[in-house]
Amino acid sequence: MSDHTNIKSTDVLIIGSGPIGATFARMISDALPKTKIVMIDLGPKLTKRAGMHVKNISDAVERESAQIKSQGPHQKAYPLTTVAERANAAKDGNLSLDMLARPGTHLVTDNITDLKKNQMPAASYSSNVGGMGAHWTCACPRPGNEEKIPFIPEQEYEFAFAKAEELLCVTQNAFAECAEGVAIQKVLGDVMNHQLSKNRQVQPMPLACKVDENGERYWVGSDIILGELAEPGYDKNFELKSETICRKLFTDGKNITGALIEHLPTKKIEEIKAKITIVACDALRTPQLLWASGIRPKALGHYLNEHPFVFCFVELNDELVEKSFAKKYDQSSRSEPTIGVFWVPFDAPNHPFHGQIMHMDVSPIKIETNQNPKHIVGLGWGCTKEIQYEDHIEFSETEKDYLGMPKLNLRFTLTENDKMQIEKVKSLQIKIAKAFGKIIQEGEQTLMPAGTSLHLQGTTRMGKINDGTSVCDSHSNVWGYSNLFVGGNGVIPMPTTSNPTLTSVAMAVRASKKIISLLENKSY
Ligand SMILES: Cc1cc2nc3c(=O)[nH]c(=O)nc-3n(C[C@H](O)[C@H](O)[C@H](O)COP(=O)(O)OP(=O)(O)OC[C@H]3O[C@@H](n4cnc5c(N)ncnc54)[C@H](O)[C@@H]3O)c2cc1C
């Protein structure tokens, strides 16, 4: 460090302001309000309340502007593309930014040469206060039997998930019951329920959403998790520094002794010395920062995982809606066409998959169609992927990304077993599509390009023991560093197909308990 660098101290430094960084801040602040917390994020603050979900911005122009501000180097709107166009582009090897990136995100590799080398071309980031949590679909299903992390005691697991659901305001009542919704759930139930356990039947998707007495929805982002810490002007022991990147952690080999941070617009550099440092920069940039800091356990960036996802769109058979159900509901009172999101839970061995069924208006992938959108249903089905050491992030020793951090390239291949699982998903999906009506040609079955799930996992995975196959312990404490914690989907060590954020928030809740105890006992 230069002698001229400004050095500041704090109790806790949190790097990354997405849902996971926010969970750490809230848990620690609630338990120990006198603890000084500094949170930094390399992206801009989009809204007055820090980390609000952009769907809550009612003005469409403002909303689009917030999405664009989150897109790192790509400060422009992406063109709308159909699922078919995206799939065909991927099949033809015609990978381009416009075919892969989604609003509010930017691709890890942003030029065509790098995209061709990258085996997970759709892998993306969000670079804004609130992270991807300002753009997510908010689906928060609990993981099923074989998806659970086996070395976490059941009671602790249960506590962590209940707290995570509370922080995320998870509800199954975000959408009012309507004719199409009932129809969708019945069709799915008729095909699937007989093979699912009693507590894993077809049901409305648990969503991170606050619903007021008028049925108005407020989608949960970091602001809700942070609570009063997110309020503009909040100045009691919590400071959020936006557009501020952490470039490096300093270490004496056992502890983190400081963090080099830079305010990007002014290039002002500071060192922050914290008793506890938490890195929650997503599953790619958390290992990137550790690697840049010379913290390189064997498993760092390895075991890269996501669940393959097959999409198709069906037109809901009119008769199902109109004859069987519509009379029961007053259609005229509906102010919007949204039906809701439904869930066919993972339940091995009969259904080792995850079904997420959405009306196209809430689907993260837009399809263009002349059909009446009221009756279009998106069927997303995923399976688990075999976890392999070889699937990993390559960090460049020489090349840098747009922010001057080590450039990443992603190595990721499907095994023969993965391919078999995908075929099984496809046959199940066809069976279900037929029960609904007909598959829309422009939304026919498509295995989405790797990275599309936006649920990358495993790159800072937790383990029961320090045997070289994990980066941190079951409390997210990096092996060998008493005051360094990691958070986010990267800590999930299991093959999963359920959406991961609820699990990552739960693991941050569990890790926070350990941090709180370290702070109370001054043992850092
Ligand atoms: C369109 C979309 C739909 C999704 N739908 C769902 C869903 O329905 N269910 C679900 O479970 N998940 C979903 N996800 C994924 C979900 O949003 C993520 O799992 C979640 O946001 C992860 O939280 P996080 O805090 O770990 O990371 P993020 O939310 O990605 O936040 C990481 C933050 O770290 C910051 N950062 C990175 N590097 C640095 C650095 N060196 N210095 C300072 N700051 C840094 C980034 O700017 C970012 O703000 C979706 C994502 C998207 C984009």
Side-chain angles (χ1 to χ4, degrees), residues 86-87 90-91 95 99-102 107-109 115 117-124 284 304-310 385 391 410-414 418 422 446-456:
R86 284 164 180 252
K91 275 181 222 146
L95 296 171
M99 289 295 161
L100 292 165
R102 288 200 243 160
L107 295 180
V108 172
T109 35
L115 262 178
K117 280 191 273 172
N118 181 343
Q119 293 173 325
M120 214 182 225
S124 306
L284 298 174
L304 173 64
N305 177 34
E306 77 155 350
H307 48 79
F309 218 56
V310 182
K385 150 119 190 63
D391 293 331
L410 307 179
R411 313 301 302 166
F412 184 80
T413 52
L414 296 175
D418 295 336
I422 291 166
T446 302
L447 172 65
M448 300 311 288
T452 301
S453 73
L454 302 171
H455 297 161
L456 307 194

Side-chain angles (χ1 to χ4, degrees), residues 29 33 35-37 228-229 233-239:
S29 171
T35 305
K36 281 194 193 142
I37 302 173
E228 62 173 359
L229 307 184
Y234 184 88
D235 59 358
K236 290 185 231 142
N237 294 327
F238 176 75
E239 184 187 2

